Amino acid sequence: MSSEDIWFDTRRCFIGGAWVESDSGEDLELTNPSNGKIICSIVRGNTADIERAVTAASKALEDSWGRMTAPERGRILFRLGQLVLDNTETLARLEAMDVGKPLTQARADVIALARYLEFYGGAVDKVHGETIPYLDGYTVYTLRERHGVTGHIIPWNYPMQIIGRSVGAALAMGNAAVLKPAEEACLTALAFADLARQAGLPAGALNVVPGLGAEAGAALTQHPGVQHISFTGSVGVGKLIQAAAAQNVVPVTLELGGKSPQLVFEDADVEKALPFLVNAGIQNAGQTCSASSRILVHSSRYDEVVSKMAARYRNLQVGPAMDDLDVGPLISQRQKTIVEGFLERGKGLEVAAEGDITSDAPSDGAYVRPTLYSGVSPDHVLAQQEIFGPVQVIIPFSDEEEAVRIANGTPFGLVASVWSDSGARQMRLAKKLRAGQVFLNNYGAGGGVELPFGGAGLSGHGREKGFEALYGFSTLKTVAAHHG
């Protein structure tokens, strides 16, 4: 895969169903994290481009897109999903080159994007209101209606998946979307726009404006014509976006960071748990909001788990995305510096094991060795702060009460997992753990397009995936008819 394989125009915005020049007349360079080389130039959208995109989205709501029935919207989403599948290998290679994730993981992201579109295409005409028993002489019912223009700011770690769960749900409910992809990785967002055009999505229903967060992103969150904002990214930026949206009093869905624990009890099936314990921490080089960066283990099984996880870590191979190894590079040299800073703060801790960077990995790639720490205090910075790299800590606990206290002892609350054969314990902890998702004897449930996803605390608020996403991208209207 090279820049010659990119069939769409990276130096233009997609607005009103067409590729258009940016008002800025400026470009940004897109870098391949596997080798540090420039992939291509992308457009640097600005406030004027966002203004044009919001105007185009508003017009789409007044035209054919706004008048389209739910089944018609569903058919377009189905066609778009099929186009995604038809281009699986091309999209996967674009994502791998752009983000740095191994090809196998990139292919899984393509399939997930298609699945979101299929799910929402099938669900779009099944979001119903309800009738409410009320006073004599009244008939009361509710309607689910679109917000209008929705703004979507997505991160660089999972562009395709987050487009699917965010933009896909918004379009299903009849909103018109303006998407600002991350400047570090926006190739598949632009490819998606072109596939949407091919699928017959009406002009203006989807608009894509690449650019810097402080320019295009800020303009989108502050625009008075946007009725809902969806953001996935860092806690710091999420706070800025919520503050900006508050000026226009519009709802915001925030999916932010995590410090997700897996709790391994004395009666756990450790052999079954092992792949989940490791893979949930190193997938996408640990650059996952729901990454399991904390492994909490009962003292009676602690040495066993440390030994077995360490053995897996020693076999981890890190290298270029196209080599399709266990772990690819981080997204950028900047992110590498951040992760190395955490590793520096981990000096003095016991390193249980590390993975290996292949000898032929380009020296300019953003590679770090996956690192597993054991015997870590629950209040250590590596156990408290989101690292966003392939780093995991193993923490011992003595009983269930202590395990819950440690698990809930960070400001985050995105995902948690319990490994135990005790059904009673599973039910108790499912209630006690502060997390938007709790998995029992598994982690992630295969992605779960159907499963509501979101967090508590610094992990954000609002829910994506499943029908909850459709409810979030709509507003409820109550109609009370007095007929005597």
Side-chain angles (χ1 to χ4, degrees):
M1 175 65 68
S2 68
S3 58
E4 296 177 357
D5 299 299
I6 301 172
W7 78 89
F8 45 90
D9 195 339
T10 65
R11 301 180 70 177
R12 296 190 180 203
C13 302
F14 186 78
I15 298 175
W19 296 100
V20 300
E21 297 282 353
S22 169
D23 173 79
S24 74
E26 298 181 43
D27 294 331
L28 299 168
E29 290 183 336
L30 200 61
T31 302
N32 185 335
S34 290
N35 55 28
K37 295 181 179 179
I38 302 302
I39 300 172
C40 63
S41 294
I42 59 169
V43 63
R44 181 175 178 171
N46 64 9
T47 300
D49 298 319
I50 292 293
E51 179 65 39
R52 287 192 293 166
V54 173
T55 298
S58 299
K59 187 174 185 299
L61 294 172
E62 298 171 358
D63 294 338
S64 61
W65 179 243
R67 296 191 295 270
M68 194 172 286
T69 65
E72 290 174 319
R73 294 197 303 272
R75 293 186 192 107
I76 290 177
L77 292 178
F78 275 121
R79 287 200 297 272
L80 181 50
Q82 187 58 54
L83 281 172
V84 168
L85 291 176
D86 292 344
N87 290 274
T88 295
E89 193 62 21
T90 299
L91 290 171
R93 291 177 71 84
L94 280 176
E95 194 87 323
M97 176 175 64
D98 205 9
V99 178
K101 63 181 60 182
L103 268 173
T104 297
Q105 294 178 32
R107 291 190 187 102
D109 287 358
V110 179
I111 303 304
L113 169 56
R115 177 69 186 112
Y116 278 113
L117 297 169
E118 292 165 351
F119 178 84
Y120 290 126
V124 61
D125 58 352
K126 300 171 183 66
V127 180
H128 306 148
E130 61 181 359
T131 57
I132 301 174
Y134 192 53
L135 301 174
D136 185 40
Y138 283 86
T139 295
V140 180
Y141 59 94
T142 61
L143 300 172
R144 279 278 172 192
E145 299 183 333
R146 65 184 177 230
H147 287 296
V149 178
T150 55
H152 305 257
I153 300 177
I154 65 170
W156 42 258
N157 57 340
Y158 287 91
M160 286 191 290
Q161 286 214 35
I162 297 173
I163 287 172
R165 77 190 196 201
S166 175
V167 174
L171 293 176
M173 291 308 299
N175 299 284
V178 178
L179 168 63
K180 206 297 283 184
E183 58 267 25
E184 297 93 341
C186 62
L187 292 181
T188 49
L190 293 168
F192 181 79
D194 199 63
L195 293 177
R197 177 189 60 80
Q198 295 178 37
L201 190 70
L206 171 65
N207 307 272
V208 181
V209 181
L212 298 174
E215 296 173 357
L220 182 58
T221 59
Q222 296 168 6
H223 199 291
V226 174
Q227 283 83 45
H228 182 281
I229 296 290
S230 175
F231 172 75
T232 302
S234 70
V235 174
V237 176
K239 290 179 179 179
L240 293 175
I241 286 174
Q242 182 159 278
Q247 302 307 305
N248 295 317
V249 197
V250 299
V252 181
T253 299
L254 296 177
E255 197 271 279
L256 307 176
K259 199 65 183 171
S260 300
Q262 296 195 62
L263 284 61
V264 183
F265 285 88
E266 66 273 16
D267 59 345
D269 184 339
V270 170
E271 292 302 323
K272 178 182 176 182
L274 273 172
F276 295 90
L277 297 178
V278 175
N279 294 342
I282 56 94
Q283 181 178 332
N284 197 31
Q287 298 168 123
T288 305
C289 293
S290 56
S292 175
S293 53
R294 294 185 297 153
I295 308 299
L296 281 53
V297 185
H298 189 272
S299 56
S300 66
R301 305 295 296 276
Y302 184 78
D303 290 341
E304 176 190 0
V305 171
V306 170
S307 175
K308 290 181 175 180
M309 286 188 67
R312 285 177 174 262
Y313 257 74
R314 294 186 192 102
N315 289 324
L316 292 176
Q317 293 294 299
V318 184
M322 297 303 175
D323 288 357
D324 204 17
L325 302 174
D326 302 301
V327 180
L330 299 173
I331 186 65
S332 64
Q333 290 295 331
R334 177 179 178 274
Q335 185 63 23
K336 179 183 177 182
T337 299
I338 292 172
V339 174
E340 288 177 338
F342 277 104
L343 295 175
E344 183 67 24
R345 297 166 80 178
K347 285 189 173 179
L349 297 177
E350 181 179 350
V351 176
E354 294 177 313
D356 284 326
I357 300 172
T358 58
S359 59
D360 58 348
S363 59
D364 290 333
Y367 302 102
V368 296
R369 291 159 66 94
T371 305
L372 178 68
Y373 292 95
S374 59
V376 179
S377 168
D379 59 359
H380 192 279
V381 64
L382 297 191
Q384 285 289 316
Q385 294 186 22
E386 185 177 45
I387 299 171
F388 232 55
V391 180
Q392 290 181 290
V393 299
I394 308 180
I395 304 170
F397 65 83
S398 58
D399 56 32
E400 187 176 305
E401 182 180 355
E402 184 182 22
V404 172
R405 185 170 65 252
I406 295 172
N408 291 343
T410 79
F412 300 100
L414 194 54
V415 177
S417 174
V418 176
W419 293 92
S420 171
D421 282 344
S422 168
R425 174 181 285 143
Q426 292 172 8
M427 295 300 101
R428 285 195 301 272
L429 267 63
K431 292 183 178 181
K432 291 180 179 180
L433 291 171
R434 187 176 71 154
Q437 289 186 329
V438 176
F439 297 103
L440 306 176
N441 287 337
N442 72 102
Y443 193 94
V449 167
E450 304 86 349
L451 311 181
F453 177 70
L458 292 188
S459 291
H461 53 73
R463 292 296 180 264
E464 298 178 299
K465 300 187 180 184
F467 273 83
E468 286 296 328
L470 299 176
Y471 302 149
F473 279 108
S474 63
T475 185
L476 193 66
K477 177 185 287 183
T478 302
V479 179
H482 182 220
H483 41 69

